[in-house]
Amino acid sequence: MSSGTVHLPNGHNVTVHPVFGGLSFKSIDLNVHHTSFPPGWTIVLQTKDEEVDRSDQHGRDQSPAHNPRDSLDSQADFPPPEPHTHRFRVPTLHNDRLFLSSLSYPSSTDFKPAASATRQIAMMLWTSLYWYFHQPEPDLHLDTVSCAHTAEEGKPKGEWLVYINREGVFRGRNLLQKLERMGLISSRDSTVGLDIDGRSPEGWKEMFVSRRSFWQLDPRIFLFTLSPTLHSPLAGSPYPSRPGSPNSSTPSHSRPETAAEANALATSQGLWAPSTTGPFSSSSHLPTYFPPPPLQYTFTDHVRHPIRPKPPRQGETFYTRFIPSIGQYLSFRVASISPKAPAHLGPSSHHAVSLHNSLVGSLAPSDSLAPLTPFGPSTPCDIDLLYKWMNEPRVARAWGEQGPREQQEAFLRKGLLSKHSFPVIGCWDGKPFGFFEVYWVKEDRLGRHLNGSSDPWDRGLHCLVGEQDFRGSHRVRVWISALVHYCFLADNRTHNVLLEPRVDNKAFIRYLEEAGFHKEREVAFPHKQAALMRIRREAWEAPAL
């Protein structure tokens, strides 16, 4: 297996190298500057070859045996071969097994130990799985006796998963139990068990992580940084420690003015520094995820619905992920009414490339630290973007919001004041490419057309790609799956994501179907006949890579 690089959603980069008996994960940033991300760890990843599954879905033995006695005799004469375990080469559907074998800790003079060792181990396992589920997808078809004569394309499909062995670091008492409580690993054995020894492996031998469940875990649960010590070079950050308390003298999305400020911003806590408004920013160096609050209800236009959580702030990036097939970071941020373009302080492929170049010596380390996408002074603000996009004939036919700049400003203000939706700007490497709206279906006009059949937590999307350079079927498949991914991450109670494109928008409807949506029926709005497109959480596998 060749080496590779993992681009994490929080902007950190980790290299993966084959080593004797496993794979070594090491933070790239450690070679360039002080990093608050744990430096590295090693996993053992093996493939356990097994016999062809001889049972059907109900667990009944399907082996050919006309006489029970003959079957027993033949089993005694020819015992089944022991499964062969070998080093991992390519992913398999459900024969791969891994465990953490060793951990590397940073210098105690630079960083305080992690407040929770379990949290740190969970982060390392999550990052390892993030790499694993970016590998080429294995053949999903099952091979059982029941389908032995079925054509390959017609065979049933299984779920891609990897087993977690109770070995190495995972031998720790109660460690697997804690990881299971965090939702990172699962077991089909839901019994208490009879062994009273808490150190017993009973019930914890067949722990696994499926691709479907992994991509529904919010990375903010697991990704965090270490706290610098008082004498660490990182301790003297010039930025305030409370990003939640902006004031008039410190704009919430102001751009660092000097290279030194940009470098301090990049090194203080990774790319999501305490002063930036991002989903991973945390001055406490703890995971930034919190469970949903207790359920409360209210009324909007005579529609009873749950009280909705407040959206992210203006200009705040709430979703980011590196897209290997395109080689760029895709991100979504809340639109801003500011006359200045919000600074992009999140990760970008420019930063990843410069890090790589600095490692091989083509750039000085100081050249590789600026996380800002190189926008010029003429970068348009969000109102100007909407004015440009909405007045393009292609967009005007679908949205009907063409008009002077004042109309676009009023349109954006209305979106920012909506109680059931919020406006979004999509970006590739920080460069805006489209406008979107994320809304709750229940109190939207769509909910009224569904005659009360919508679930209280269903989400809906409105989509607009304004930049010609970022059009194309492949990018559509990526960003639509990313928006669905966000909706499922934002609230585990959301089981459906809906869109209602106009019926004559056949190209977009086809893109949605390719992304996993299905047309449920048509809905007659006063201004259009729409195709009701739906994707269910249980049918969603993973975001497009």
Side-chain angles (χ1 to χ4, degrees):
M1 171 177 291
S2 60
S3 302
T5 302
V6 182
H7 303 281
L8 297 178
N10 66 345
H12 283 285
N13 301 289
V14 178
T15 58
V16 184
H17 296 288
V19 295
F20 180 76
L23 294 161
S24 172
F25 289 73
K26 184 178 180 182
S27 173
I28 290 181
D29 306 80
L30 189 66
N31 295 326
V32 182
H33 57 79
H34 288 279
T35 174
S36 51
F37 196 76
W41 61 94
T42 302
I43 69 169
V44 173
L45 178 58
Q46 300 171 325
T47 299
K48 185 177 181 180
D49 292 334
E50 298 177 348
E51 289 187 288
V52 175
D53 186 3
R54 310 305 296 181
S55 62
D56 65 10
Q57 61 181 342
H58 301 292
R60 298 175 299 214
D61 187 11
Q62 297 294 309
S63 301
H66 300 289
N67 187 307
R69 181 176 297 278
D70 292 342
S71 178
L72 290 174
D73 291 342
S74 64
Q75 290 179 16
D77 294 339
F78 302 99
E82 288 292 325
H84 174 61
T85 300
H86 58 81
R87 188 172 182 174
F88 172 82
R89 300 187 187 97
V90 294
T92 63
L93 188 58
H94 49 223
N95 290 345
D96 296 333
R97 297 169 180 269
L98 71 80
F99 62 89
L100 293 179
S101 59
S102 64
L103 312 178
S104 298
Y105 293 99
S107 170
S108 59
T109 60
D110 287 339
F111 297 100
K112 301 175 184 177
S116 168
T118 302
R119 287 280 186 184
Q120 187 162 343
I121 291 171
M123 179 181 63
M124 294 175 179
L125 176 58
W126 186 92
T127 302
S128 303
L129 293 168
Y130 190 80
W131 166 83
Y132 176 79
F133 287 118
H134 272 79
Q135 301 307 300
E137 179 186 81
D139 182 8
L140 300 181
H141 292 100
L142 298 174
D143 190 11
T144 67
V145 169
S146 299
C147 65
H149 302 291
T150 305
E152 189 67 24
E153 291 301 316
K155 289 183 178 181
K157 291 184 178 181
E159 191 166 14
W160 183 11
L161 54 87
V162 57
Y163 284 93
I164 307 299
N165 282 0
R166 193 174 184 269
E167 299 182 46
V169 175
F170 295 147
R171 285 186 179 275
R173 183 173 182 175
N174 298 327
L175 180 56
L176 290 183
Q177 290 91 323
K178 291 179 180 178
L179 295 177
E180 192 267 343
R181 295 289 188 275
M182 296 167 72
L184 185 53
I185 63 177
S186 306
S187 173
R188 294 187 180 90
D189 182 0
S190 58
T191 65
V192 175
L194 300 176
D195 200 313
I196 60 175
D197 186 356
R199 294 169 295 182
S200 170
E202 180 188 0
W204 301 96
K205 294 181 178 178
E206 293 294 311
M207 307 303 296
F208 67 90
V209 182
S210 70
R211 176 176 63 171
R212 187 190 304 271
S213 66
F214 175 80
W215 285 113
Q216 295 182 46
L217 293 170
D218 194 315
R220 293 174 301 169
I221 303 174
F222 303 101
L223 293 178
F224 64 98
T225 52
L226 300 176
S227 301
T229 62
L230 181 62
H231 304 290
S232 169
L234 305 185
S237 172
Y239 293 91
S241 61
R242 297 191 61 179
S245 304
N247 56 62
S248 58
S249 62
T250 57
S252 61
H253 34 259
S254 60
R255 189 185 306 271
E257 296 180 357
T258 66
E261 289 184 2
N263 289 349
L265 189 62
T267 59
S268 59
Q269 312 230 357
L271 294 178
W272 296 109
S275 60
T276 63
T277 55
F280 298 96
S281 61
S282 171
S283 59
S284 64
H285 300 268
L286 293 174
T288 55
Y289 173 87
F290 301 95
L295 196 58
Q296 304 177 78
Y297 283 87
T298 187
F299 285 87
T300 299
D301 296 333
H302 308 291
V303 176
R304 184 175 183 265
H305 61 86
I307 291 180
R308 305 301 186 186
K310 287 187 71 64
R313 293 178 293 185
Q314 289 188 51
E316 180 176 345
T317 298
F318 58 86
Y319 181 94
T320 181
R321 186 165 55 85
F322 182 77
I323 309 300
S325 61
I326 296 179
Q328 295 176 326
Y329 276 92
L330 171 65
S331 62
F332 295 100
R333 62 170 174 82
V334 180
S336 173
I337 202 72
S338 170
K340 295 182 179 180
H344 176 69
L345 297 174
S348 70
S349 62
H350 305 295
H351 177 70
V353 170
S354 61
L355 276 175
H356 172 75
N357 291 338
S358 66
L359 291 178
V360 299
S362 60
L363 287 177
S366 61
D367 295 329
S368 67
L369 302 181
L372 303 176
T373 297
F375 295 153
S378 61
T379 301
C381 65
D382 290 350
I383 298 176
D384 291 335
L385 288 173
L386 284 178
Y387 173 67
K388 171 189 173 184
W389 296 341
M390 291 295 187
N391 282 284
E392 289 194 4
R394 170 181 57 85
V395 176
R397 284 194 298 269
W399 282 71
E401 291 292 339
Q402 66 272 25
R405 188 179 186 279
E406 291 75 18
Q407 180 173 336
Q408 314 311 325
E409 181 175 356
F411 173 81
L412 182 55
R413 288 182 180 276
K414 181 180 178 181
L416 292 169
L417 293 175
S418 172
K419 292 184 177 181
H420 78 282
S421 68
F422 64 94
V424 174
I425 299 293
C427 302
W428 288 105
D429 274 345
K431 184 175 181 180
F433 75 91
F435 176 80
F436 308 89
E437 290 177 327
V438 181
Y439 65 89
W440 298 103
V441 173
K442 188 73 175 180
E443 52 266 41
D444 186 77
R445 63 185 179 186
L446 175 59
R448 293 191 287 272
H449 282 78
L450 298 181
N451 300 320
S453 63
S454 61
D455 186 85
W457 301 100
D458 286 354
R459 298 299 284 262
L461 302 171
H462 295 143
C463 308
L464 178 166
V465 175
E467 294 297 327
Q468 188 70 24
D469 292 344
F470 295 109
R471 297 182 66 193
S473 60
H474 180 61
R475 288 186 185 268
V476 173
R477 184 173 63 89
V478 169
W479 60 250
I480 194 65
S481 74
L483 286 168
V484 171
H485 188 202
Y486 164 73
C487 292
F488 288 151
L489 290 178
D491 199 306
N492 285 333
R493 295 167 292 190
T494 296
H495 291 286
N496 300 279
V497 177
L498 294 87
L499 282 91
E500 14 87 12
R502 212 166 65 188
V503 292
D504 58 345
N505 195 348
K506 298 186 183 300
F508 187 49
I509 292 174
R510 185 176 68 254
Y511 293 151
L512 292 175
E513 290 173 337
E514 292 173 353
F517 285 80
H518 69 275
K519 181 179 176 180
E520 192 168 274
R521 60 185 176 90
E522 294 187 2
V523 177
F525 289 102
H527 65 296
K528 69 176 180 179
Q529 184 74 7
L532 181 62
M533 308 297 294
R534 181 189 299 267
I535 188 169
R536 302 181 187 277
R537 180 187 286 266
E538 63 181 351
W540 183 83
E541 188 69 35
L545 303 178

